[in-house]
Amino acid sequence: MLLAAKTVAPCSVVFAPWREILAKACAHGATTITAPTGSLLPEALATTLRAQRGEPLWVTLGPEDHDLAVLLYSLLTAAQRLNPTIGAQTTAALTQSAGLHDAWPAIFQVFAEELACTLPEHCVLVLEHAEQLNAASVTLGLLSNYILSRLIGAHPWIVITRQELPRPALPRETVTYNAFSLRINPAEIQELATSVGCYLPNSVLRRAGTLLAGGAGNLYSFFRMAGRLGETTTTTLIERSSGAEQLLGHIARAVYGMDSPSGHAALDFSRRLGYTHPDLSGTNFGYCTPDSVWLLPLADGWQRLRDVWQTILPRLLRPGEQASNDALTCAADTFVDQGALIPAVDLYQELGAHEQAATVINSALDRMMRLGQWRTLGRWLERTPTPILHAWPWLLYTQNEIAAAQQDFAQARRGFAAATTSFTLHNDAVGACQSLLAESTLALWQGDAQQAHQRTRAALAHAETAGLAWHMGWAAWQLVELALSDGNLAGAMIYLERALQAAAAADEQQLGTILGQVNLLLSQRRTLGERREEHRQAYFAVEQAEQTLHERLHQLFAAPLSINEQLLSLRPWTATPLMLKLPAPAFAPPTEPTARPRIWQELLRRFGFTRVEGPEAATPPTVPPPLEGSANLFTLVDDSSSPQITAPERMIAPRSEPQLATNAGDADRQATPLNLIAYVLGAFRISLNDDPIVNWPSGRGRALLKYLLVHHDHPTPRDVLMDLLWPEASPEDARNSLNVAMHGLRQAFRSVTDQPIVLFQRDDATYRLNPDLALWLDIGEFERLVATGRQHEESGLFSAAVAGYEQAASLYQGDFMAEDPYEDWPMLQREQLRLAYLDMLERLGQIYFSQGQYGACATLCQQILARDNCREDAHCRLMRCYSRQSQHHMALRQYQSCIKALADELGVEPLPSTIRLADQIRRHEYV
């Protein structure tokens, strides 16, 4: 499936710098080298590793390694060069559950364990061009979290990248070296030039080293070409250059002009193939072998164009000097013969040879699907013209299986319908049955039971006509499922009998076993249904008898006068009980209790059943424990000056000192600790010792409690409360209103406790919550979780950060004091909390995105935009999420929503970076 050149290391050279860095890398075990083009000499690295540790396990990554399965296969193929026994367990795990998103971590874990235990003892893993994985953070994340992390301590590894990799995607132990660390000194520059036979004056060497910034790759490539040009020409080129790009361009153009047009075509041929080999050049394709000054030599005779010349060479090619399409097509045919299907199909499609590409894809379809190479297949099928897909129905079918796996059910249903038509035109009954069953499954998942029935019956008819027992069994099985979903047990039993017959005809023991189990369960269900009906009839009979007796008893007690006339004649009227003299009121049937016992309420909450009936219905679904050390609970005390309260109430309300208990029961009640739980994010909810407070005699009393809850950490002066709640009233009226509100607040809590909730301190005329009570307040917990999450994020503990952020998000049920939108005092804090919430969603979304959890990240972006539709960064991240899930149409639709929101709300256009992102998505590039 792969080109062997990907898994071979560069050949050895005489020059070998960076001994100190590599010694540390091999000792430490986890190293990343961020080396822009030309700053690293790969063969020098390979030479040093061979001298220190033996033959390295070297993999040169390419764009195809975005696919998880292809990356795994690349690593496996390279490992088998060193130990052919590696891979049995990984291959078994792949074939069992490949392609399913949730299965990949387990598969990577199996391979990581196999790799760590079976590689040669001193082997070093080297991954070159790891920047190719930047566009697929899921792939990079799995590589890092499982393979690289597992190898630490067992085998050293070095990851080489031309672009910086995201830090969260790498193990925490990783040590990074940059281009500055790799610069070679003047003495090493002279040694490098001598090693390739380039003898230039020291002044020229120093000037070259300065222009090329001490990059070993650039210097090596330059000296190789300088050896062909000679000292005079090289010196002239150096003097005419002002930077690395200009100097390399000058010398490349000079050497290029020395070659013949045939040599130019051979060089372009090698560039287009990516790699070259004696079997892929020479007389086989009409080209000579390119000059070695352009190429990097690899083991087993392979070569590739040096990275330094990848961007320079296309600018040198003139019309008529490019490799011919015939030669490239012939090379792709050779790839197919060698089993290197991935580069072959990529080359065919690049050349527009879609018929040849479709032939190769069709031949490898089943194997690639079993190995989980869905992303590669999806990429190929997206590039295949629609007429060719219809000419190869199994390609069309597979494209829509991949779409269904990516949750694009609407597109998959349309595609399966087209595949059914195509299979029918090609007289492929197996494909038609398969596609009809797929249509039925998606229709059922989307709630379209009628369409599901229709397509499944069509599949059964096709299978019966063609005599396909296997498909008859599965079509009948699907009809059993549809019948059960409709509650049609009798119909399910009929279809099950047909499925059993089909399984027996097909001699499918596994299907027969499954159907036998279903048959047993359905039979038991039918028996239980019959018994339930018998019990139901008996229950109704008993209930009717009970109702008859109840009515007779009621008649007896409702009309005692007619029954006890003799009794009345024996007693005076006044001495006769009232029940014997007056008729009873109208009969009211007995009612069920309206509230469950408290223990059942608690059990329902703990097991997640939040729809609670009765008075407990307002209780929060889960009650967090109170925070230790919070001096936050309430004791209600009135100001004695209020003229609105009656004298008995005045005597009870003020409590300057705790009252002594008069008996043991009062002592127990006073000793009971009080836990107050309050929610002010979204709808206001409060409960005291798990009892929800729902009846508020005074609306301003509730508003007063909200203010004291939020400002529980310090006493609040009475004047402040009067100004906040009654700003337009006179001081006397405001004070009376405050006393009434306090009284109502006390009344609300009196059903739960006699202990005071809010205390009035006479010496400074302030109110505060009772410090003996334990308060849990959702905004305090929200802010604590957000701060903890940020600390974990900054420390690189991303799992802990995600846990904290998710808990904080669950607490934010709405804006602060959402029920009081016109109150002035909550406005500033409401906006601060809203911004903190959006920032937390932004951070959580970034972590999800870096870990490849695009669905979860998209949900967070939608939540951000629901509150602030002008957040252009959220629009862009949502577009990236859709694109990386191959939902390009959704990404472009989101771009249009972004344009409209910015224009309507702010009157501006999107940023240039947003426009470029949309263009990349239109071209189906990785973003």
Side-chain angles (χ1 to χ4, degrees):
M1 299 293 287
L2 300 169
L3 201 61
K6 283 187 59 175
T7 61
V8 295
C11 296
S12 296
V13 291
V14 175
F15 179 71
W18 314 308
R19 292 181 179 86
E20 183 177 351
I21 290 177
L22 292 177
K24 291 180 180 178
C26 293
H28 180 73
T31 306
T32 298
I33 299 177
T34 304
T37 301
S39 58
L40 181 73
L41 187 61
E43 55 264 55
L45 175 63
T47 301
T48 308
L49 289 177
R50 288 189 182 101
Q52 292 184 357
R53 310 282 295 195
E55 187 65 24
L57 171 58
W58 195 292
V59 181
T60 304
L61 301 175
E64 67 278 1
D65 290 298
H66 294 153
D67 190 326
L68 288 165
V70 174
L71 172 65
L72 202 61
Y73 191 69
S74 298
L75 295 170
L76 184 59
T77 303
Q80 287 175 342
R81 293 176 60 87
L82 302 179
N83 185 347
T85 64
I86 294 177
Q89 298 175 18
T90 304
T91 304
L94 266 172
T95 54
Q96 288 175 4
S97 54
L100 301 178
H101 178 74
D102 294 340
W104 281 114
I107 295 172
F108 267 72
Q109 189 170 13
V110 169
F111 177 66
E113 194 65 33
E114 199 171 4
L115 201 63
C117 297
T118 54
L119 278 179
E121 182 179 357
H122 299 292
C123 181
V124 179
L125 169 64
V126 180
L127 298 179
E128 188 180 5
H129 293 335
E131 74 280 352
Q132 297 286 355
L133 305 183
N134 251 343
S137 59
V138 175
T139 307
L140 181 59
L142 287 174
L143 172 69
S144 173
N145 294 338
Y146 292 94
I147 295 177
L148 299 183
S149 296
R150 175 62 183 86
L151 291 180
I152 294 176
H155 299 282
W157 52 260
I158 300 173
V159 172
I160 305 170
T161 172
R162 288 178 290 191
Q163 301 170 3
E164 187 174 359
L165 299 177
R167 182 66 187 176
L170 297 171
R172 293 179 58 189
E173 300 86 350
T174 305
V175 173
T176 301
Y177 296 96
N178 55 25
F180 184 80
S181 306
L182 302 175
R183 293 179 63 177
I184 59 177
N185 57 44
E188 290 176 321
I189 292 175
Q190 185 173 9
E191 179 186 350
L192 175 60
T194 303
S195 69
V196 297
C198 177
Y199 302 98
L200 297 172
N202 288 337
S203 59
V204 176
L205 292 177
R206 284 195 299 272
R207 176 61 178 164
T210 302
L211 290 173
L212 299 176
N218 285 338
L219 287 165
Y220 185 88
S221 302
F222 176 80
F223 291 149
R224 289 290 307 276
M225 289 195 169
R228 286 194 61 184
L229 295 177
E231 179 181 339
T232 303
T233 304
T234 302
T235 303
T236 302
L237 294 177
I238 290 176
E239 291 173 351
R240 290 170 49 196
S241 302
S242 59
E245 185 175 357
Q246 192 175 31
L247 176 58
L248 292 172
H250 285 331
I251 197 165
R253 187 174 293 104
V255 173
Y256 184 83
M258 298 171 65
D259 292 333
S260 64
S262 175
H264 298 163
L267 195 57
D268 184 53
F269 182 73
S270 300
R271 180 186 67 86
R272 296 283 297 277
L273 295 184
Y275 294 89
T276 186
H277 192 272
D279 294 338
L280 294 174
S281 58
T283 57
N284 290 338
F285 306 102
Y287 296 124
C288 60
T289 303
D291 193 321
S292 61
V293 298
W294 299 92
L295 304 176
L296 168 66
L298 307 173
D300 298 343
W302 288 98
Q303 294 176 306
R304 73 167 189 253
L305 188 68
R306 290 188 181 275
D307 294 342
V308 176
W309 311 123
Q310 290 285 354
T311 57
I312 295 176
L313 180 60
R315 299 199 294 264
L316 302 178
L317 291 169
R318 294 186 289 269
E321 294 182 344
Q322 292 88 353
S324 69
N325 286 352
D326 290 342
L328 292 170
T329 302
C330 187
D333 295 340
T334 304
F335 286 160
V336 173
D337 294 339
Q338 294 178 352
L341 304 187
I342 292 178
V345 173
D346 285 338
L347 192 53
Y348 280 138
Q349 291 190 332
E350 183 184 342
L351 296 171
H354 293 291
E355 285 284 355
Q356 293 95 319
T359 303
V360 177
I361 297 171
N362 194 66
S363 66
L365 205 58
D366 189 64
R367 182 167 182 265
M368 293 183 72
M369 288 295 288
R370 286 179 181 274
L371 291 177
Q373 296 175 355
W374 295 7
R375 179 174 292 183
T376 299
L377 276 173
R379 175 168 57 86
W380 287 345
L381 296 173
E382 276 188 2
R383 296 176 179 175
T384 303
T386 302
I388 293 181
L389 285 178
H390 284 275
W392 299 85
W394 282 108
L395 300 187
L396 187 60
Y397 175 86
T398 303
Q399 183 182 42
N400 292 289
E401 268 202 343
I402 296 172
Q406 294 171 343
Q407 309 275 312
D408 190 356
F409 296 145
Q411 173 60 37
R413 280 184 69 180
R414 292 191 295 269
F416 282 129
T420 300
T421 303
S422 184
F423 279 125
T424 304
L425 292 174
H426 285 79
N427 296 318
D428 188 340
V430 171
C433 288
Q434 193 90 348
S435 196
L436 284 166
L437 289 174
E439 283 188 75
S440 170
T441 299
L442 293 181
L444 179 61
W445 289 353
Q446 293 185 302
D448 190 350
Q450 181 178 0
Q451 181 73 359
H453 276 284
Q454 191 270 330
R455 304 312 278 170
T456 309
R457 286 194 293 269
L460 183 60
H462 270 74
E464 289 176 340
T465 302
L468 303 174
W470 163 263
H471 291 85
M472 287 169 58
W474 286 110
W477 161 276
Q478 198 141 322
L479 286 169
V480 171
E481 181 182 3
L482 290 167
L484 289 175
S485 67
D486 292 340
N488 183 5
L489 183 60
M493 296 294 291
I494 293 172
Y495 285 122
L496 182 61
E497 183 62 30
R498 296 181 67 177
L500 285 167
Q501 294 173 359
D507 195 22
E508 287 291 340
Q509 295 182 357
Q510 185 177 9
L511 178 59
T513 301
I514 296 172
L515 293 173
Q517 293 173 355
V518 173
N519 186 39
L520 177 62
L521 293 173
L522 287 181
S523 299
Q524 292 175 349
R525 178 176 170 181
R526 181 170 57 185
T527 301
L528 291 174
E530 293 171 352
R531 290 173 59 189
R532 181 188 60 189
E533 183 62 24
E534 293 172 2
H535 288 301
R536 191 172 69 88
Q537 295 296 336
Y539 170 78
F540 287 153
V542 172
E543 188 180 56
Q544 183 62 40
E546 183 183 16
Q547 183 66 22
T548 302
L549 290 175
H550 177 75
E551 291 175 356
R552 291 180 61 188
L553 284 170
H554 175 69
Q555 292 170 2
L556 179 63
F557 285 98
L561 190 61
S562 61
I563 300 173
N564 298 293
E565 292 179 356
Q566 294 180 356
L567 199 61
L568 282 171
S569 64
L570 299 176
R571 291 280 185 272
W573 179 265
T574 55
T576 302
L578 187 64
M579 68 183 69
L580 300 178
K581 297 182 291 188
L582 298 178
F587 167 68
T591 59
E592 294 293 330
T594 59
R596 296 189 178 96
R598 183 176 303 281
I599 188 170
W600 288 108
Q601 299 289 349
E602 182 62 25
L603 287 173
L604 287 171
R605 287 193 206 101
R606 290 189 180 183
F607 287 97
F609 297 96
T610 58
R611 289 193 60 184
V612 181
E613 301 171 358
E616 299 277 340
T619 304
T622 56
V623 179
L627 296 177
E628 294 182 3
S630 350
N632 304 346
L633 268 149
F634 325 126
T635 314
L636 195 64
V637 177
D638 229 13
D639 183 5
S640 59
S641 65
S642 172
Q644 306 281 345
I645 304 176
T646 60
E649 291 294 331
R650 288 179 185 279
M651 296 174 64
I652 297 172
R655 295 184 184 177
S656 58
E657 296 180 0
Q659 296 181 356
L660 296 176
T662 57
N663 53 48
D666 290 343
D668 291 342
R669 184 161 53 250
Q670 289 186 1
T672 302
L674 293 180
N675 298 324
L676 191 67
I677 296 167
Y679 293 84
V680 292
L681 292 172
F684 180 64
R685 292 167 292 157
I686 188 168
S687 62
L688 185 62
N689 281 4
D690 294 340
D691 286 306
I693 309 299
V694 293
N695 296 319
W696 298 94
S698 168
R700 296 313 273 169
R702 174 172 165 153
L704 174 61
L705 177 61
K706 292 177 182 177
Y707 186 87
L708 294 175
L709 281 170
V710 175
H711 300 87
H712 63 269
D713 52 350
H714 59 270
T716 303
R718 176 172 54 194
D719 294 342
V720 171
L721 295 175
M722 291 163 53
D723 290 340
L724 281 173
L725 300 178
W726 297 277
E728 298 179 358
S730 65
E732 182 179 354
D733 291 342
R735 186 171 182 177
N736 286 337
S737 298
L738 176 60
N739 290 333
V740 173
M742 282 292 181
H743 176 67
L745 187 55
R746 182 177 66 252
Q747 291 294 100
F749 284 99
R750 179 169 289 175
S751 61
V752 178
T753 180
D754 290 335
Q755 297 186 46
I757 302 301
V758 176
L759 296 176
F760 178 67
Q761 299 175 347
R762 296 182 182 279
D763 54 349
D764 56 358
T766 58
Y767 289 94
R768 65 167 301 171
L769 304 180
N770 190 335
D772 295 333
L773 305 179
L775 170 66
W776 184 93
L777 189 61
D778 58 350
I779 56 173
E781 183 68 0
F782 171 78
E783 291 171 339
R784 184 189 70 81
L785 288 169
V786 169
T788 304
R790 291 194 66 171
Q791 291 175 0
H792 288 316
E793 182 183 0
E794 291 168 0
S795 302
L797 304 174
F798 295 100
S799 297
V802 167
Y805 287 152
E806 287 179 343
Q807 292 180 52
S810 69
L811 282 179
Y812 200 95
Q813 296 297 310
D815 286 339
F816 173 61
M817 302 285 288
E819 296 176 347
D820 303 288
Y822 303 112
E823 293 280 358
D824 292 335
W825 68 265
M827 286 185 178
L828 178 59
Q829 192 167 2
R830 179 184 296 134
E831 185 62 18
Q832 290 173 345
L833 287 167
R834 190 181 74 88
L835 292 177
Y837 174 64
L838 293 177
D839 178 70
M840 182 266 297
L841 293 182
E842 168 81 11
R843 290 174 174 274
L844 183 57
Q846 288 177 352
I847 296 175
Y848 280 150
F849 188 84
S850 69
Q851 295 175 347
Q853 301 183 45
Y854 302 124
C857 182
T859 300
L860 293 176
C861 293
Q862 290 163 355
Q863 292 177 8
I864 293 173
L865 294 173
R867 294 179 176 273
D868 186 354
N869 200 29
C870 295
R871 288 284 294 263
E872 192 168 354
D873 56 340
H875 282 289
C876 289
R877 185 171 295 110
L878 185 53
M879 290 163 62
R880 294 179 190 275
C881 290
Y882 285 140
S883 178
R884 293 199 181 187
Q885 296 177 93
S886 298
Q887 297 176 349
H888 304 292
H889 63 292
M890 294 291 291
L892 295 175
R893 186 180 301 171
Q894 190 63 40
Y895 175 60
Q896 296 301 322
S897 299
C898 176
I899 294 175
K900 187 176 187 303
L902 295 176
D904 293 347
E905 300 293 335
L906 304 177
V908 299
E909 295 181 350
L911 294 172
S913 59
T914 305
I915 299 172
R916 286 195 300 271
L917 174 62
D919 291 338
Q920 290 177 294
I921 292 172
R922 288 191 187 95
R923 297 192 296 269
H924 288 196
E925 296 179 4
Y926 284 101
V927 295

